[in-house]
Amino acid sequence: MTDRKQRLLPAVQKPARYTGGEWGEVQKNKDEIHIRVAFCFPDTYEIGMSNLGMRILYGVMNNQPDVWCERVFAPWGDMEAALRREALPLWALESQDPVKDFDMIAFTIGYEMAYSNVLNMLDLAGVPLHASERTGLKNIVFAGGVCTFNPEPLADFVDFFSLGEGEESTVEILDVYRRAKAEDWTKEWFLREVAKVPGVYVPSLYTPVYEPDGRLKEIIRVEGAPEIVTKRIVENLDEAYFPTKMLVPSTEIVHDRANLELFRGCIRGCRFCQAGFSCRPVRRKSPEVLYRQATELLEHSGNNEITLSSLSTSDYKDLRELTDALIPYCEAHKFSMSVPSLRADNFSRELMERVQAVRKSGLTFAPEAGTQRLRDVINKNLQEEEILSTCAIAFAGGWSHVKLYFMLGLPTETDEDVLGIAELVYKIIQLWKENGVNRKRGLSIRLATAYFVPKPHTPFQWEQQITPQEYLRRCKLLKEHLYSKCVEYDYHSPDLSRLEAVFARGDRRLGPVIEEAVRSGARLDGWDEYFRYDLWQEAFAKCGVDPNFYTVRGYGEEELLPWDMMDVGVSKAFLLRERRRAYESRVTPDCRHGCAGCGANCLLKEAGCDD
Amino acid sequence: MTRLLFEKTGKAVWISHLDLMRLFQRAFQRAGLPLTHTHGFNPRPSVSIALPMSVGVESGCELLDFALDGAAVPCEEIRDRLNAALVSGVRILRVYEDGQKLKNLAWLDCCLTLEYDHGVPPEAAGRLRALFSRPSLPVQKKSKNGVTEQDIIPLLKRVELEQAEENTLTLLARVRCQNPALNPMQLLAAVDRYQPELSPDFCRCRRVEVYDENGNVFR
Ligand code: SF4
Ligand code: SF4
């Protein structure tokens, strides 16, 4: 007879995402395993399997002979309904065993709006949500990923956080757990010990105290708990573990190709960008190592496409050397190569012409702001000239699609800046008229604006978010000034970005709000078909939490910030300095044109930044 | 064009037709067996599966046509190298240097396993035999153009029923598989419609063998 789990599969969409059994999946003999880790990604299989960080840590954990790390993803709504109807607990893909049977439950969280999925997955697994309700060594829940640079909103639910890159720290964490299990420690003892691993933050060792007006007053530490938790980095990426024997999904995922990371960090300091600051300093892989890894990836996986990924690929020092070697290899094997996040510089233009996959996707620019003044405020070093000359060349070369990304609500933004976007679009249309060769197909410009979300560990971490009404007014203003039919402008509703802003700079008082929202049905918030703003609004009201406190209020420079204890390497003094320069419209050169003294070099022991 | 016979079982039954093609393209590449590519703006490795299969269906008789680029490789070697590069549940049984024309593929033997959690209802086999002996048996068919009625009897050659265990009944049927094809799950739809009290709690489907118009095994 077919078991109950299998019986759910015919009725759900894309059942292969719940079965495991893919090429490169790790199977182990349970009898030889001391630590079983359920590695949860708080979004669907298609998104999670596209995440390089998860693939790396999956390999790191499974490289330990007595550890078996398995994957778990958030089920789609139809599967969730089936699980609840049949009272079946969420299972891990490899063994198909229930998550609640695992020793450790790990999450990687890259997006605030996945918080509801974290709780919902624990709930579907039948694991108590609150860390305090899980009393033993079983079901220790820990989390990593960029969101943990301000982990406070999840402090009630997660036993500990692992800050920064996990290649080394995860092994150290597993060592502590191994000892704990062998010596039968209490959970409290384990948490005290794991807090000694650099980069680990155990929220239960800290208690926040608030002022009557709601601001954070102080954080009381248990004796012995670290005062500051500094994120971990891998210093030498050439020697770091990288999974060239990649797991190849049997069903299509979002990024269904081999993915090679050229370097970590970013030399640019766009002042709104959390990744730009929190992933510092720049560390790169050598082109020899990259070439070897690329060929291994393609040969082991059977993929016929590879992406060279990084925060800003054009800034990879040896891009020419690498692509000179890789392009002929790919051509010989009929592989295609894609290079996202290219800047509008000369070499990138040349590369665009040589790389077929880029051609297909069209031109993408993220000027973020409409005027040079505002681009200087945000330190986005992209000149109008570069955009226009790249467009001119591309139009002459037969391209006809342009995507443009902007933000609305940036600090100091005025209507003039908003209208600057329309002007830039107009100039691009003029250029098309002069240079476009592919007249029949016509020009198509896709314009998108995002509602600016101030993020922790950036020079804008103190800023006010504009109100949703004001955001919509600016969207409409812009829309009224776009006259051409070839421009497609979609602006998203501000609801999601408002919540993202709340949680990005949130504190522990948001825990009950998340729990309440999830209890009333919030999950898969990143998906339009499931996002329910009303549930969140009700949850805030019920818990007596005012979202405006975290968004339009803004934070004082003297105020103790919920994430002040987390050190990403960049000093607060530097962020303040950058904030001042922003208000003076003064740009700060990128790391390659001079060190701005952010402090992140202190994370490196052997080399300097970007060596 | 070379042809291979493969089976699809276990977890692999949940892989969709399109995904299975991609899986094979990658397996060929992993096995160091480069495929020829289609021409055009976006060249794709050329593999094609004779009879697209619904998700969830098991099979022991799938045919896949492919063309290798470069020097000829012996059939057994292709089989072994591919099997080493495939996920569990997808297994090559045999590789043929050539094959009959696909348009001659006509009949498919399939086996439905009807699972009854509380035991097979009394007389079920006999009643189902009678059902499938009716002169006509229209069931609803969902297609791109909406729902239509399809009479399954002209597309059915033979139905055998057997009670294998206390809780399961197996239904072996030979159905037309091309021009037009009958999805074997339509037999279950007929049960649901005309004998709802015999509807099983779950039904598994397996493709067993394919034949030409004259009932000879098709390869
Ligand atoms: S270039 Fe700017 S926006 Fe892009 S990752 Fe670097 S700092 Fe962030
Ligand atoms: S220390 Fe200097 S070079 Fe290094 S990341 Fe900071 S600003 Fe850039």
Side-chain angles (χ1 to χ4, degrees):
Chain A
M1 300 285 275
T2 308
D3 73 23
R4 290 171 64 215
K5 270 189 312 205
Q6 296 266 325
R7 285 187 180 187
L8 303 182
L9 297 176
V12 298
Q13 291 175 46
K14 304 187 196 159
R17 52 187 163 174
Y18 306 112
T19 61
E22 310 94 321
W23 178 255
E25 157 195 273
V26 177
Q27 286 290 344
K28 294 195 178 188
N29 177 357
K30 273 185 235 181
D31 303 337
E32 291 159 16
I33 297 303
H34 289 128
I35 308 176
R36 294 189 64 184
V37 183
F39 195 175
C40 305
F41 190 91
D43 210 315
T44 61
Y45 180 89
E46 292 77 355
I47 306 274
M49 284 308 298
S50 304
N51 182 282
L52 187 58
M54 183 175 195
R55 286 171 177 271
I56 292 174
L57 292 181
Y58 178 76
V60 164
M61 289 194 249
N62 279 319
N63 275 351
Q64 307 273 309
D66 66 341
V67 176
W68 188 9
C69 170
E70 306 181 35
R71 296 159 299 145
V72 188
F73 300 94
W76 192 241
D78 56 356
M79 186 52 139
E80 173 175 350
L83 291 177
R84 293 197 186 276
R85 189 181 64 235
E86 299 289 321
L88 280 168
L90 189 65
W91 62 79
L93 296 189
E94 281 75 358
S95 65
Q96 300 276 302
D97 286 340
V99 171
K100 65 173 184 300
D101 294 351
F102 282 67
D103 296 303
M104 305 186 87
I105 301 173
F107 281 92
T108 176
I109 314 172
Y111 178 41
E112 289 82 1
M113 294 319 293
Y115 289 172
S116 58
N117 293 339
V118 173
L119 268 65
N120 198 39
M121 286 172 79
L122 289 175
D123 186 52
L124 280 167
V127 171
L129 297 188
H130 288 257
S132 57
E133 295 167 306
R134 302 183 298 263
T135 49
L137 278 184
K138 199 149 200 103
N139 292 169
I140 295 281
V141 176
F142 68 111
V146 285
C147 283
T148 59
F149 293 140
N150 175 24
E152 289 300 88
L154 290 177
D156 293 349
F157 315 106
V158 174
D159 292 306
F160 67 92
F161 295 92
S162 164
L163 271 61
E165 296 162 9
E167 280 94 335
E168 291 159 7
S169 58
T170 309
V171 175
E172 296 160 31
I173 289 165
L174 290 169
D175 283 343
V176 179
Y177 190 83
R178 191 178 287 114
R179 263 166 51 217
K181 219 181 154 185
E183 295 167 17
D184 201 19
W185 296 357
T186 61
K187 178 172 174 181
E188 289 63 41
W189 187 252
F190 166 73
L191 289 176
R192 292 268 194 142
E193 286 301 307
V194 84
K196 294 177 186 162
V197 173
V200 168
Y201 169 63
V202 178
S204 57
L205 304 182
Y206 304 82
T207 312
V209 182
Y210 301 98
E211 301 276 12
D213 65 6
R215 285 177 303 143
L216 191 58
K217 184 172 177 222
E218 59 173 330
I219 292 166
I220 301 172
R221 275 183 296 141
V222 167
E223 211 190 306
E227 207 172 327
I228 293 285
V229 180
T230 305
K231 78 160 190 213
R232 295 288 292 270
I233 59 163
V234 175
E235 186 151 352
N236 187 333
L237 287 179
D238 274 348
E239 285 164 21
Y241 167 77
F242 184 78
T244 50
K245 295 201 169 143
M246 68 181 274
L247 201 158
V248 185
S250 302
T251 179
E252 197 170 8
I253 58 170
V254 177
H255 297 295
D256 208 358
R257 54 189 86 99
N259 185 345
L260 190 63
E261 188 186 24
L262 306 186
F263 64 96
R264 290 189 186 161
C266 181
I267 59 164
R268 301 177 189 272
C270 306
R271 291 175 180 133
F272 56 84
C273 176
Q274 188 178 36
F277 292 96
S278 66
C279 300
R280 287 183 177 207
V282 167
R283 289 138 297 139
R284 71 200 167 99
K285 290 188 191 174
S286 66
E288 299 77 33
V289 169
L290 287 170
Y291 180 81
R292 178 172 53 75
Q293 291 179 343
T295 55
E296 280 178 25
L297 267 174
L298 288 162
E299 274 154 33
H300 286 299
S301 68
N303 273 314
N304 57 11
E305 186 177 351
I306 188 165
T307 298
L308 306 183
S309 71
S310 296
L311 288 171
S312 172
T313 307
S314 310
D315 290 330
Y316 178 59
K317 270 185 183 166
D318 302 306
L319 191 59
R320 182 180 293 273
E321 187 180 339
L322 177 67
T323 50
D324 279 351
L326 262 184
I327 290 175
Y329 170 83
C330 287
E331 278 168 0
H333 291 82
K334 299 199 175 72
F335 297 150
S336 63
M337 187 173 99
S338 58
V339 191
S341 343
L342 283 179
R343 295 176 58 81
D345 60 21
N346 288 329
F347 176 62
S348 303
R349 277 194 281 267
E350 187 189 318
L351 195 61
M352 278 183 234
E353 272 149 40
R354 289 164 68 197
V355 178
Q356 199 207 7
V358 182
R359 177 178 279 269
K360 279 186 290 190
S361 58
L363 291 168
T364 302
F365 297 104
E368 309 293 1
T371 58
Q372 196 56 48
R373 183 200 70 82
L374 191 54
R375 283 197 291 274
D376 289 346
V377 168
I378 63 175
N379 207 35
K380 183 86 206 181
N381 184 12
L382 180 60
Q383 309 286 328
E384 186 172 291
E385 260 313 292
E386 293 176 78
I387 301 173
L388 295 180
S389 59
T390 305
C391 283
I393 295 170
F395 290 158
W399 299 25
S400 55
H401 292 274
V402 184
K403 284 189 206 155
L404 294 167
Y405 294 100
F406 292 91
M407 281 192 262
L408 290 179
L410 287 163
T412 78
E413 183 177 275
T414 63
D415 285 357
E416 197 182 318
D417 300 304
V418 178
L419 296 180
I421 298 174
E423 249 165 74
L424 181 63
V425 169
Y426 176 76
K427 284 180 192 161
I428 293 176
I429 296 172
Q430 290 308 112
L431 269 179
W432 166 259
K433 289 186 180 152
E434 288 157 25
N435 299 281
V437 290
N438 207 341
R439 286 300 174 86
K440 246 185 263 146
R441 259 203 292 166
L443 171 68
S444 122
I445 298 181
R446 294 194 62 175
L447 171 66
T449 58
Y451 179 13
F452 170 62
V453 175
K455 291 273 172 135
H457 305 291
T458 68
F460 291 159
Q461 64 176 356
W462 296 276
E463 298 298 329
Q464 301 173 339
Q465 191 182 37
I466 59 169
T467 64
Q469 296 75 18
E470 175 59 17
Y471 167 73
L472 287 173
R473 188 192 67 81
R474 293 184 197 181
C475 292
K476 291 198 181 97
L477 177 71
L478 174 57
K479 201 174 173 88
E480 282 161 15
H481 287 79
L482 297 168
Y483 305 109
S484 170
K485 272 203 286 283
C486 65
V487 188
E488 205 182 304
Y489 172 39
D490 38 38
Y491 53 90
H492 275 163
S493 114
D495 303 342
L496 201 64
S497 303
R498 179 167 185 247
L499 290 179
E500 193 186 326
V502 172
F503 292 110
R505 294 190 295 178
D507 53 40
R508 293 191 186 188
R509 289 170 295 188
L510 294 172
V513 178
I514 305 172
E515 187 178 350
E516 175 61 32
V518 171
R519 295 262 183 241
S520 58
R523 81 272 197 245
L524 298 171
D525 289 309
W527 299 84
D528 286 347
E529 48 270 72
Y530 287 106
F531 178 55
R532 294 266 314 271
Y533 191 50
D534 57 326
L535 296 179
W536 286 100
Q537 283 173 305
E538 282 161 26
F540 281 114
K542 207 159 172 180
C543 300
V545 172
D546 178 11
N548 288 334
F549 179 83
Y550 303 94
T551 58
V552 295
R553 176 180 74 96
Y555 289 66
E557 288 183 357
E558 273 76 52
E559 194 176 331
L560 182 62
L561 303 171
W563 57 93
D564 271 348
M565 217 185 338
M566 316 299 150
D567 175 14
V568 300
V570 175
S571 72
K572 201 169 180 177
F574 169 76
L575 294 179
L576 270 172
R577 209 155 67 222
E578 279 295 293
R579 187 185 195 203
R580 299 268 179 285
R581 289 175 76 98
Y583 279 99
E584 293 160 11
S585 308
R586 280 172 69 198
V587 297
T588 297
D590 64 56
C591 295
R592 222 161 263 167
H593 287 92
C595 171
C598 78
N601 54 330
C602 297
L603 297 171
L604 296 167
K605 291 186 187 71
E606 274 148 31
C609 291
D610 192 29
D611 269 356
Chain B
M1 195 53 97
T2 322
R3 180 165 292 170
L4 59 78
L5 174 75
F6 71 97
E7 64 173 19
K8 186 186 179 206
T9 58
K11 287 178 173 182
V13 306
W14 304 106
I15 302 172
S16 72
H17 174 67
L18 279 179
D19 286 336
L20 193 61
M21 305 248 278
R22 194 169 21 238
L23 185 136
F24 266 107
Q25 288 161 2
R26 288 176 176 163
F28 273 100
Q29 193 178 307
R30 290 194 287 261
L33 298 166
L35 294 161
T36 59
H37 281 65
T38 56
H39 297 286
F41 179 67
N42 197 357
R44 303 217 137 268
S46 37
V47 292
S48 72
I49 295 174
L51 296 175
M53 184 165 39
S54 326
V55 172
V57 177
E58 198 177 299
S59 178
C61 61
E62 292 306 299
L63 298 173
L64 174 135
D65 289 350
F66 62 98
L68 289 188
D69 201 5
V73 183
C75 288
E76 289 74 38
E77 192 182 328
I78 295 179
R79 180 195 62 202
D80 295 344
R81 277 163 66 178
L82 271 179
N83 277 336
L86 276 164
V87 299
S88 81
V90 182
R91 202 163 59 94
I92 313 297
L93 303 173
R94 202 163 157 190
V95 177
Y96 304 88
E97 260 163 43
D98 215 344
Q100 290 168 248
K101 288 213 161 46
L102 279 179
K103 70 173 186 351
N104 297 330
L105 177 52
W107 296 98
L108 164 73
D109 269 1
C110 54
C111 173
L112 299 185
T113 306
L114 312 180
E115 301 183 354
Y116 297 93
D117 293 351
H118 307 291
V120 177
E123 310 291 330
R127 286 159 71 192
L128 290 179
R129 228 173 264 130
L131 175 69
F132 293 109
S133 313
R134 291 189 189 177
S136 101
L137 209 49
V139 293
Q140 292 198 327
K141 184 185 176 191
K142 286 192 199 87
S143 72
K144 272 170 254 154
N145 311 322
V147 182
T148 52
E149 289 272 305
Q150 179 185 36
D151 183 5
I152 66 173
I153 294 297
L155 308 173
L156 255 183
K157 200 163 217 170
R158 180 173 90 216
V159 177
E160 283 166 29
L161 280 134
E162 194 185 321
Q163 183 161 354
E165 291 162 54
E166 200 182 320
N167 290 324
T168 58
L169 198 62
T170 55
L171 188 160
L172 266 166
R174 182 164 295 182
V175 301
R176 192 162 263 292
C177 63
Q178 285 204 111
N179 317 314
L182 175 63
N183 180 344
M185 290 309 257
Q186 290 290 69
L187 276 73
L188 180 67
V191 177
D192 290 342
R193 178 155 170 186
Y194 299 102
Q195 300 273 329
E197 63 285 2
L198 298 182
S199 285
D201 294 291
F202 191 72
C203 174
R204 276 184 292 139
C205 177
R206 179 181 169 87
R207 288 178 169 180
V208 182
E209 189 54 277
V210 278
Y211 303 92
D212 66 13
E213 196 58 65
N214 304 320
N216 300 314
V217 170
F218 179 93
R219 287 294 178 266

